[in-house]
């Protein structure tokens, strides 16, 4: 085998081993990137097209550190089902869930209210 081919094969093996090591490390620390929070009560509207990606929380404890994802434990989650895709259409029914856990991408807070955003359906 010539020298160039050996070097190319060696470099390919090193890259593959490095990628495997990085993927293994990332998989093990994925849960460590999630901060936990708790809300006594929250609302998450359900529109005619489906579940909203935003949640409004009350009585929330916020994590001290900024993370990429937040896991929020909610004691009482109220989900008003709207007839249309706007507030003027009115509420068809309301569903109340207890001890619900959701994940969200981030939040803003103002006067005791926390607006969680980027919450995929679960």
């Amino acid at each position: 085998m010539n020298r160039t081919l050996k070097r190319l094969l060696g470099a390919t093996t090193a890259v593959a081993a490095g990628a495997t090591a990085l993927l293994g490390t990332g998989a093990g620390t994925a849960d460590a990137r999630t901060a936990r929070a708790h809300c006594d009560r929250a609302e998450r509207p359900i529109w005619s097209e489906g579940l909203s990606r935003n949640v409004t929380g009350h009585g929330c404890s916020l994590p001290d550190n900024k993370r990429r994802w937040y896991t929020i434990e909610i004691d009482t989650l109220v989900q008003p089902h709207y007839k249309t895709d706007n507030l003027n259409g009115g509420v068809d029914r309301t569903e109340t869930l207890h001890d619900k856990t959701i994940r969200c991408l981030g939040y803003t807070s103002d006067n005791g209210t926390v607006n969680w955003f980027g919450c995929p359906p679960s």
Side-chain angles (χ1 to χ4, degrees):
M1 199 184 293
N2 68 25
R3 187 178 294 189
T4 305
L5 186 57
K6 283 183 182 179
R7 287 180 183 167
L8 183 60
L9 191 57
T12 303
T13 304
V15 168
T20 303
L22 286 175
L23 287 175
T25 303
T29 60
D31 199 35
R33 294 178 185 243
T34 302
R36 299 190 79 75
H38 176 267
C39 292
D40 294 332
R41 185 174 188 282
E43 297 91 30
R44 183 179 204 173
I46 299 178
W47 307 102
S48 62
E49 292 185 1
L51 194 62
S52 174
R53 302 293 196 265
N54 299 324
V55 176
T56 302
H58 306 280
C60 297
S61 63
L62 297 175
D64 294 336
N65 48 7
K66 298 287 184 184
R67 296 290 184 183
R68 175 167 280 167
W69 284 97
Y70 297 90
T71 299
I72 303 103
E73 297 170 355
I74 301 170
D75 291 340
T76 304
L77 178 63
V78 178
Q79 294 182 319
H81 292 255
Y82 287 91
K83 296 178 184 177
T84 62
D85 287 333
N86 58 48
L87 295 174
N88 296 338
V91 176
D92 183 37
R93 63 187 171 90
T94 301
E95 184 178 9
T96 303
L97 305 172
H98 299 282
D99 301 322
K100 187 77 175 158
T101 301
I102 62 171
R103 287 178 42 128
C104 297
L105 188 58
Y107 68 91
T108 60
S109 60
D110 186 38
N111 295 330
T113 300
V114 179
N115 296 304
W116 299 98
F117 58 85
C119 310
S122 54

